[in-house]
Amino acid sequence: MQFEGTEKYVTTGELRLAVNAAINLQRPLLIKGEPGTGKTMLAEEVSEGLGLRLIQWHIKSTTKAHQGLYEYDAVSRLRDSQLGDDRVHDIKNYIKKGKLWEAFESEDQVVLLIDEIDKADIEFPNDLLQELDKMEFYVYETQETIKAVKRPIVIITSNNEKELPDAFLRRCFFHYIDFPDKATMQRIVEVHFPGIKQSLVKEAMEVFFDVRKVPGLKKKPSTSELIDWLKLLLADEIPEDVLRNRDSKSAIPPLYGALVKNEQDVHLLERLAFMNRRES
């Protein structure tokens, strides 16, 4: 089983090698990279490319590891016992299966995405070591062991908000998605906008990469923000001359709200534009 990419997702050779290495080693693939570089989308495209079902577990700051296994609703069982409900005699009626349980019991191999694992508590990754390593876990309430029928392909994403434990990292195959260079970015744009006018793309890319180079920028615009910006440029029929006839390092680009996402960066670009006008 080899992942070769899909028509909708531009991959580098290194990324394809990483995906296939993780599959062959039967280890979770840990993906890091700037927000907006397609980490979550990778799992979706691996699922499509290999023809496998995708199970997604999106992590929040309040998520606990056991929720990925199962949750026992003791409160509902107590309430039902007080009401004389017959369901109370079978404890399985009060166990909610988590995403790992769903992946483990699948008759067919699936792709399991654990998205943004660094959002959770620092102990979260360690609490899943045994389950991801052995591909099994024990349900104390029913006294049964749940084992993976077919080992899922596990893809874990992180935005580097916090460091992950060494014991967890040792069990993963790691890949960092570098920010696309201009040639790769042009291929990505072509996928989203087939047949787009290349002169417009050229000017837009110059503006985009110049904004990313501005020193002191708090949040650099990402791939997804470039796509949004191009969509607006096309919708508003912004001529490429507007992009070309500007100072490439200072002026604020048109429809900048698609690229710049906080007031500090807007003020920074405004100051640079003002200083440039004064010097002129």
Side-chain angles (χ1 to χ4, degrees):
M1 184 179 290
Q2 294 286 310
F3 175 65
E4 300 295 341
T6 67
E7 292 181 1
K8 296 186 298 181
Y9 189 81
V10 176
T11 59
T12 61
E14 291 84 358
L15 181 55
R16 290 194 297 273
L17 282 173
V19 172
N20 292 319
I23 293 173
N24 292 329
L25 289 172
Q26 295 189 333
R27 288 187 178 275
L29 173 62
L30 175 60
I31 295 289
K32 290 187 180 183
E34 283 186 35
T37 49
K39 299 185 295 297
T40 301
M41 192 180 293
L42 172 64
E44 298 170 0
E45 298 307 315
V46 169
S47 167
E48 181 176 326
L50 300 179
L52 305 177
R53 182 164 67 97
L54 175 64
I55 296 175
Q56 303 185 56
W57 186 17
H58 298 289
I59 307 304
K60 301 177 182 178
S61 60
T62 56
T63 304
K64 302 300 180 185
H66 68 83
Q67 293 173 318
L69 308 178
Y70 68 94
E71 292 183 89
Y72 170 51
D73 192 350
V75 174
S76 292
R77 193 181 187 203
L78 175 60
R79 184 192 63 233
D80 288 349
S81 68
Q82 293 170 340
L83 296 173
D85 194 321
D86 286 340
R87 296 174 70 251
V88 75
H89 300 296
D90 187 355
I91 197 171
K92 290 183 179 179
N93 290 325
Y94 304 95
I95 290 179
K96 180 183 177 182
K97 297 177 181 179
K99 297 297 184 181
L100 266 73
W101 191 329
E102 185 183 344
F104 285 5
E105 73 175 0
S106 174
E107 295 292 332
D108 300 314
Q109 189 177 35
V110 300
V111 176
L112 173 63
L113 168 65
I114 303 177
D115 196 28
E116 297 188 329
I117 194 171
D118 53 324
K119 278 188 175 179
D121 183 84
I122 188 64
E123 291 303 319
F124 181 94
N126 280 337
D127 291 342
L128 288 177
L129 287 181
Q130 180 75 10
E131 290 75 15
L132 292 176
D133 204 19
K134 302 294 184 182
M135 284 290 149
E136 65 179 50
F137 62 90
Y138 186 70
V139 183
Y140 294 95
E141 289 78 6
T142 61
Q143 298 182 357
E144 62 179 328
T145 298
I146 305 300
K147 294 184 178 182
V149 178
K150 294 280 183 68
R151 190 180 187 98
I153 297 171
V154 181
I155 297 178
I156 303 170
T157 70
S158 169
N159 285 326
N160 251 354
E161 290 185 10
K162 59 172 70 81
E163 289 295 322
L164 299 174
D166 289 345
F168 178 79
L169 294 174
R170 281 200 301 272
R171 288 165 169 81
C172 297
F173 188 92
F174 172 75
H175 181 76
Y176 185 88
I177 297 181
D178 289 316
F179 195 83
D181 57 20
K182 286 187 179 180
T184 305
M185 190 67 83
Q186 199 145 3
R187 290 167 55 208
I188 294 171
V189 169
E190 186 63 35
V191 167
H192 288 271
F193 305 101
I196 188 173
K197 196 175 179 182
Q198 289 304 307
S199 55
L200 173 63
V201 174
K202 179 179 181 297
E203 298 302 331
M205 296 264 280
E206 290 294 329
V207 174
F208 174 76
F209 280 99
D210 281 339
V211 170
R212 281 184 57 86
K213 291 176 188 173
V214 171
L217 211 61
K218 186 174 181 181
K219 183 193 178 305
K220 296 179 180 180
S222 67
T223 307
S224 60
E225 285 150 352
L226 171 63
I227 300 303
D228 288 344
W229 187 50
L230 278 171
K231 191 180 297 182
L232 288 175
L233 292 177
L234 291 170
D236 287 6
E237 298 181 346
I238 302 293
E240 59 207 57
D241 290 346
V242 173
L243 303 179
R244 186 183 300 114
N245 298 327
R246 59 181 287 280
D247 185 279
S248 62
K249 291 189 170 70
S250 300
I252 299 177
L255 301 168
Y256 67 85
L259 295 175
V260 184
K261 296 302 176 74
N262 63 67
E263 61 276 16
Q264 296 98 313
D265 289 345
V266 173
H267 295 329
L268 173 61
L269 291 177
E270 287 174 342
R271 284 197 301 273
L272 289 173
F274 175 72
M275 291 169 60
N276 183 64
R277 286 194 297 269
R278 287 190 61 182
E279 290 174 3
S280 297

